[in-house]
Amino acid sequence: MTPSTAEAETGASAAPESRPSNFLRDRIVDDLKTNKYNGRVQMRFPPEPNGYLHIGHAKAICIDFGLAEEFGGKTNLRFDDTNPEKEDVEYVESIMEDVKWLGFHWDGLYYASDYFDRLYEWAITLINKGKAYVDDLSAEEIRQYRGTLTEPGRASPYRNRPVAENLNLFERMRAGEFPDGSRVLRAKIDMTSPNLNMRDPVMYRILHAEHHRTGNKWPIYPMYDFAHGQSDSIEKVTYSMCSLEFADHQPLYNWFIEQLGIFPSQQIEFDRLSLTYTIMSKRLLRRLVEEGRVNGWDDPRMPTLGGLRRRGYTPEAIRNFVAAVGVSRTNGIVDLAMLEHFVREDLNKRAPRVMAVLRPLKVVIDNYPENQVEEMVAQNNPEDERAGSREVPFSRELYIEQDDFRELPPPKYFRLSPGKEVRLRYGYFITAKNVLKNDKGEVVEVHCTYDPATRGGNAPDGRKVKSTIHWVSARHAINAEVRIYENLFTNPDPIDVPEGHDFTKNLNPSSLVAISHAKLEPSLANAAAGSRYQFERLGYFCADPDSKPGAPVFNRTVALKDTWAKVEKKQEKLTNTNKTS
RNA sequence: UGGGCCGUCGACUAAUGGUAGGUCAAGUGCCUUUGGAGCACUUUGUCUAGGUUCGAAUCCUAGCGGCCCAGCCA
């Protein structure tokens, strides 16, 4: 390349549309330049239907489908269903639902089991080439013969069986003549390879198990390594992108394709997504469900797509998050705060605002007419004019948040306290006069006066208040259950535990706090399950499927950023250090 | 310990031999009928040591550190 061309290209890439690069995209761009696949981009997302998809899968989905979209390519959804003992249609259905929910559409829908016949023929091809043999060693013996990380493996005594005998035995394996575990078909590669995957890997095992799609047709099933690359090849997949731990399998992936002389799909590995305070292992997630630590796979505390959906996450938030995280080959851990940022960002733009009081404290406005009710006009979304407005009933007795009143206000506390004036959002300015307490000395009622001239929240004389608080009219309030979620784990790395413990030691005992008597404004009485709102000043909330007409249940998706909480914490720290010093 | 992969602000990620930039987090200020949102600004970084080069985060060598591999799981 001449310097002048380089300059010209730099100029072109400085165009406004340029997006951050990554090594996967670069690879495709390079291949497009050299016309390696005639301009074709064919991707695939290949989940095993043995569990529910989680946010880690969302990254893979966004990469596979996203890259195809970007380059005008196609993406197949292919179920990697080669292990009937762990798989089920229940999972294939939920996986399809989740992929669609994320907003992606597959071009072809396939199953590795579609290819069982062809795979079987290819196994015979390799036997005929002298590249595969039937091994009678037990699983334990195979393990011993394989050697270790530092010692080479040894040849099985059955390694040099004649082709005819291998053919005969393999056909009888297929016919179901032998019991599970009695024999396997192995590739004949190199028992001394430093890559253990190349030490005569197993291609087929005997499994008299019913498969969710092929029923009892097959008593033998191909291993991942003998199915994945060939499935890619059959579908003419150009880029088979998978996670880093498969890098050691790439030589084997290529070996089968070369031996068979079939379409050369290429595997490229990228890093998995890890999140702080979160586990992504299907095995561990399953334990949480089975041990009743959470309420099912779609518990709003779960990192499953079903859980995030129920929690109130939007597909857009997840996709924006995944895009922001990027892709590389490093093993990093993304801060959960980043995920939360993207759901706040999305919901801020689209969620209607509404007033709800989680921990109610009664306020009585002494100078407000006893039976008067006014409909106050409230904006549905200050971020979006088109969202319009609604009316919220206002009356003499209201609920405000317990946190919004302090009898003895700490420094910098701007909310209601005796003698202080605040604005009730879209209501009036009120001033606290005195309080009623229970036997325990807790404030149970605050008596205030209001300024009738401040209707709607504007003071004609231009005077300012330092705080605006939300409220709900006591007479009109809807009772609701609100479920407040915190991180499921108390440790950023949940599997980091002292000797003798497991990850359940890090479970957060207060990851779910159900508030049974929250008070909502009346417009929320029949909120549809899945509808998302911002409860003003509190956070984003999503109606749960447990909701009944007139008795809604809400999940807190994420809290709003809370500047006061930070100030308060800092002050506590200050007073504590003053005390100790 | 053999092999593979990888080390850039606290976190994630760009810079493709030529100005170390973006997002999150943190902090400051402005603004605000949400202590929200928004706006502006600030702090912090190329694992170490050599080498190649006019010039190195980038290339080379060595060291250090992390992750993955010994399923008839995927």
Side-chain angles (χ1 to χ4, degrees):
Chain A
M1 189 193 287
T2 66
S4 61
T5 347
E7 273 174 30
E9 286 188 1
T10 309
S13 73
E17 276 299 317
S18 75
R19 54 178 99 208
S21 156
N22 74 52
F23 72 104
L24 300 176
R25 181 155 32 227
D26 292 349
R27 184 78 166 265
I28 297 176
V29 169
D30 286 350
D31 289 347
L32 255 20
K33 271 184 200 151
T34 62
N35 213 27
K36 184 170 178 180
Y37 295 109
N38 300 315
R40 218 164 46 81
V41 172
Q42 175 70 57
M43 312 288 290
R44 110 265 90 122
F45 173 62
E48 183 188 15
N50 70 341
Y52 294 87
L53 260 26
H54 55 60
I55 181 102
H57 295 107
K59 172 171 173 172
I61 292 169
C62 290
I63 287 171
D64 291 330
F65 285 89
L67 251 16
E69 266 172 24
E70 188 176 334
F71 292 98
K74 292 186 151 77
T75 309
N76 295 337
L77 174 60
R78 183 177 70 236
F79 290 98
D80 226 335
D81 56 349
T82 56
N83 185 359
E85 293 182 321
K86 292 188 174 175
E87 298 154 5
D88 197 275
V89 283
E90 171 194 357
Y91 301 121
V92 340
E93 281 160 12
S94 87
I95 287 167
M96 292 196 285
E97 183 191 345
D98 286 345
V99 171
K100 283 190 272 187
W101 178 71
L102 270 181
F104 295 107
H105 304 279
W106 50 87
D107 294 285
L109 175 62
Y110 301 110
Y111 296 79
S113 55
D114 293 340
Y115 311 134
F116 281 175
D117 286 295
R118 205 156 353 170
L119 258 10
Y120 179 75
E121 293 304 320
W122 276 334
I124 289 174
T125 303
L126 292 188
I127 294 173
N128 279 320
K129 284 182 71 175
K131 298 291 186 180
Y133 61 97
V134 172
D135 196 342
D136 298 357
L137 254 27
S138 70
E140 170 63 16
E141 288 165 326
I142 286 180
R143 190 173 65 76
Q144 283 164 3
Y145 276 80
R146 184 158 31 229
T148 68
L149 294 178
T150 51
E151 305 155 28
R154 290 140 47 217
S156 161
Y158 303 98
R159 193 170 199 261
N160 291 315
R161 268 219 260 242
V163 169
E165 188 181 335
N166 283 320
L167 245 21
N168 174 275
L169 254 14
F170 186 54
E171 280 162 10
R172 290 166 62 196
M173 279 169 64
R174 193 259 169 272
E177 282 188 34
F178 308 121
D180 287 5
S182 57
R183 281 176 235 265
V184 292
L185 183 70
R186 289 231 255 173
K188 191 191 280 191
I189 307 181
D190 178 6
M191 287 308 291
T192 67
S193 171
N195 181 345
L196 304 230
N197 293 117
M198 301 299 274
R199 319 240 266 226
D200 291 10
V202 172
M203 295 162 59
Y204 269 92
R205 75 281 214 187
I206 301 174
L207 237 39
H208 291 269
E210 182 168 329
H211 187 279
H212 61 99
R213 292 190 76 247
T214 60
N216 293 308
K217 179 178 175 187
W218 295 90
I220 56 172
Y221 290 91
M223 299 286 289
Y224 164 86
D225 284 307
F226 192 65
H228 201 95
Q230 290 94 309
S231 300
D232 287 339
S233 182
I234 289 168
E235 295 172 22
K236 300 279 190 291
V237 166
T238 53
Y239 305 98
S240 180
M241 291 171 179
C242 62
S243 44
L244 241 26
E245 68 269 26
F246 289 98
D248 289 338
H249 293 249
Q250 197 185 135
L252 183 53
Y253 180 103
N254 295 334
W255 190 87
F256 282 127
I257 283 176
E258 279 160 26
Q259 293 298 321
L260 262 10
I262 56 179
F263 179 81
S265 301
Q266 59 176 324
Q267 174 179 313
I268 309 175
E269 310 87 14
F270 60 84
D271 60 342
R272 278 174 178 270
L273 174 67
S274 304
L275 273 176
T276 56
Y277 300 100
T278 309
I279 53 170
M280 228 64 104
S281 145
K282 268 187 204 172
R283 197 186 98 245
L284 266 25
L285 257 12
R286 183 179 302 278
R287 273 193 57 192
L288 293 177
V289 173
E290 286 173 357
E291 294 175 12
R293 315 277 187 164
V294 296
N295 304 313
W297 286 97
D298 68 342
D299 185 298
R301 291 165 292 180
M302 293 284 273
T304 52
L305 295 181
L308 290 165
R309 179 164 55 227
R310 189 168 177 183
R311 176 84 170 246
Y313 273 76
T314 59
E316 290 79 4
I318 293 173
R319 281 194 265 127
N320 292 342
F321 164 71
V322 167
V325 163
V327 60
S328 70
R329 291 175 69 94
T330 58
N331 292 101
I333 302 168
V334 177
D335 196 335
L336 187 60
M338 197 155 168
L339 211 212
E340 293 178 339
H341 163 79
F342 282 96
V343 75
R344 282 195 194 100
E345 180 187 67
D346 189 38
L347 259 15
N348 176 50
K349 282 179 290 192
R350 56 209 292 188
R353 270 58 170 176
V354 102
M355 290 198 284
V357 174
L358 264 27
R359 295 178 175 84
L361 173 63
K362 175 80 71 78
V363 163
V364 179
I365 303 169
D366 291 326
N367 62 339
Y368 192 86
E370 195 102 22
N371 290 313
Q372 181 169 312
V373 175
E374 290 179 89
E375 294 294 335
M376 303 311 231
V377 176
Q379 268 182 287
N380 287 329
N381 189 345
E383 300 289 314
D384 182 5
E385 280 290 306
R386 299 164 305 168
S389 61
R390 68 189 186 289
E391 293 187 333
V392 185
F394 185 93
S395 64
R396 188 169 188 265
E397 298 198 357
L398 311 169
Y399 292 115
I400 66 165
E401 212 67 59
Q402 286 172 18
D403 281 350
D404 287 341
F405 177 81
R406 292 288 180 86
E407 195 175 13
L408 273 10
K412 299 263 176 72
Y413 184 85
F414 302 146
R415 282 113 97 147
L416 198 62
S417 58
K420 283 281 165 49
E421 185 174 50
V422 302
R423 171 169 36 234
L424 293 175
R425 177 142 237 227
Y426 304 123
Y428 290 98
F429 284 15
I430 57 168
T431 304
K433 295 296 181 187
N434 48 62
V435 301
L436 243 55
K437 295 184 181 179
N438 63 14
D439 302 343
K440 285 181 263 179
E442 297 161 347
V443 176
V444 291
E445 208 171 286
V446 181
H447 284 254
C448 300
T449 57
Y450 84 117
D451 177 355
T454 58
R455 189 174 199 278
N458 295 301
D461 63 1
R463 76 180 187 277
K464 304 270 188 214
V465 286
K466 294 206 89 166
S467 179
T468 300
I469 65 176
H470 61 277
W471 51 274
V472 172
S473 167
R475 279 170 54 187
H476 304 89
I478 305 296
N479 277 303
E481 177 180 336
V482 176
R483 299 172 182 163
I484 303 294
Y485 300 100
E486 283 176 15
N487 296 341
L488 226 200
F489 295 95
T490 52
N491 193 314
D493 181 8
I495 57 171
D496 174 32
V497 281
E499 278 287 321
H501 290 91
D502 72 1
F503 74 111
T504 58
K505 184 176 174 61
N506 286 324
L507 247 6
N508 179 1
S510 48
S511 60
L512 165 60
V513 175
I515 295 173
S516 45
H517 299 292
K519 305 288 184 183
L520 314 184
E521 68 167 65
S523 68
L524 254 29
N526 299 310
S531 52
R532 306 181 187 91
Y533 299 89
Q534 183 195 98
F535 289 2
E536 292 220 29
R537 302 208 304 133
L538 298 175
Y540 296 98
F541 292 78
C542 180
D544 192 83
D546 289 347
S547 298
K548 303 271 184 299
V553 176
F554 277 92
N555 296 313
R556 185 174 74 185
T557 308
V558 66
L560 253 25
K561 285 204 206 160
D562 190 345
T563 306
W564 166 243
K566 274 182 201 167
V567 172
E568 198 177 28
K569 203 176 242 178
K570 203 191 282 176
Q571 285 178 350
E572 270 173 30
K573 211 176 275 178
L574 269 172
T575 48
N576 285 342
T577 46
N578 285 345
K579 273 178 202 163
T580 49
S581 61

